[in-house]
Amino acid sequence: MFILKRQDVEISTIQHPNRDQQIPILYYQGQTFRLMKVFTVQQESEARAYWRDLTDNRGKACVLLEEPERYSVWGKVRLEQLGSEGGGGTDAKVSGLIRASLLVLQAVYFDVEDLLGSRQAVAFEKDLLKILQKGKFPAHDNSEAVKTLLTKDPLESLQIPSWNENNLKTLLEEVYRLGKSYFGNTSFAEGLDEVLQDLAQEDRDSFISWLGESTLGNLWEIS
């Protein structure tokens, strides 16, 4: 979307609504962006490749910020969503697990769409809706809500579903079952490191540890 210099933007921090931390926010021409990833000066090519993949291949609204001592990539976020998430009561740990689980869900869905075609992707959406309805997942019992879950980047939005750990275990078990059914094998469940690479290190470590503490660790493989 944009390649900018430090003098082009304003950067400040805001308090995260659910956890004891400050969130770096970049302001540019009335738009707000949240820090996604930082690279050293020596990693210029990696930074540009990462930014280009997000903007060109994944359709994300992102800024690549060039500074003398580093490069950083920022994803667009709407700050008005802070208030709506703040009253949800989801603690920091579960918020990270939810974001990670949504990344896994979306990775499987995009694989279905890319490899099997749009007709199978629509079928996957319908199957997911049945799973959410049967499991009584809060506020996600219609096709529009399912479409949002599958396409809205959980790292760009500060508003995420108010699910608990049991919801997430059910989701990941059922998505694994769906993936195996659609692809006929379990290769889709390998190499979660790449799927989770954009997640904050703390959240990624927490999710991997959480997986390993349950039977889910036997299904989803971390390289």
Side-chain angles (χ1 to χ4, degrees):
M1 185 179 181
F2 302 115
I3 300 179
L4 302 172
K5 304 289 187 181
R6 183 62 180 86
Q7 61 266 26
D8 299 326
V9 304
E10 177 184 347
I11 296 176
S12 63
T13 59
I14 61 173
Q15 177 66 42
H16 192 287
N18 288 332
R19 54 180 84 170
D20 185 20
Q21 72 178 71
Q22 297 290 313
I23 307 171
I25 297 293
L26 179 149
Y27 300 87
Y28 177 70
Q29 294 187 346
Q31 301 177 75
T32 49
F33 300 82
R34 184 182 187 182
L35 181 62
M36 297 179 67
K37 200 164 186 177
V38 176
F39 299 84
T40 65
V41 175
Q42 291 75 25
Q43 294 176 304
E44 178 182 359
S45 59
E46 291 95 327
R48 290 181 179 274
Y50 176 71
W51 170 78
R52 192 170 292 109
D53 177 61
L54 290 176
T55 55
D56 295 348
N57 300 332
R58 299 200 234 170
K60 308 299 184 186
C62 297
V63 162
L64 173 61
L65 186 65
E66 298 181 344
E67 299 179 79
E69 69 280 4
R70 69 174 191 173
Y71 291 86
S72 54
V73 177
W74 305 69
K76 191 172 182 180
V77 66
R78 294 167 53 197
L79 295 185
E80 57 265 29
Q81 293 170 341
L82 279 169
S84 60
E85 186 189 61
T90 304
D91 65 29
K93 177 190 174 185
V94 177
S95 292
L97 297 180
I98 292 171
R99 293 182 199 281
S101 298
L102 289 176
L103 288 175
V104 172
L105 167 64
Q106 291 180 357
V108 176
Y109 172 70
F110 292 143
D111 278 351
V112 169
E113 187 174 45
D114 291 343
L115 301 176
L116 304 180
S118 58
R119 182 174 298 180
Q120 290 295 83
V122 171
F124 186 93
E125 293 174 23
K126 293 178 180 178
D127 286 337
L128 180 61
L129 176 57
K130 293 176 184 177
I131 291 169
L132 298 181
Q133 290 174 334
K134 183 179 180 180
K136 294 182 170 52
F137 282 65
H140 287 87
D141 56 357
N142 61 75
S143 57
E144 184 177 345
V146 167
K147 192 70 174 179
T148 298
L149 280 182
L150 292 172
T151 58
K152 188 172 185 179
D153 190 339
L155 303 184
E156 287 190 3
S157 172
L158 295 178
Q159 186 176 18
I160 57 174
S162 298
W163 293 343
N164 58 40
E165 291 187 41
N166 287 331
N167 292 143
L168 298 179
K169 289 177 181 178
T170 298
L171 177 69
L172 292 175
E173 287 171 354
E174 291 296 326
V175 169
Y176 180 87
R177 180 184 61 80
L178 280 183
K180 189 174 181 180
S181 172
Y182 275 77
F183 295 111
N185 57 58
T186 60
S187 61
F188 66 90
E190 300 172 358
L192 284 192
D193 283 349
E194 183 176 352
V195 174
L196 303 175
Q197 66 178 351
D198 296 337
L199 203 61
Q201 184 68 49
E202 178 184 353
D203 290 340
R204 184 163 63 249
D205 291 345
S206 177
F207 180 69
I208 292 173
S209 174
W210 178 76
L211 279 182
E213 293 170 357
S214 72
T215 56
L216 292 170
N218 297 324
L219 305 179
W220 300 95
E221 300 179 19
I222 305 295
S223 60

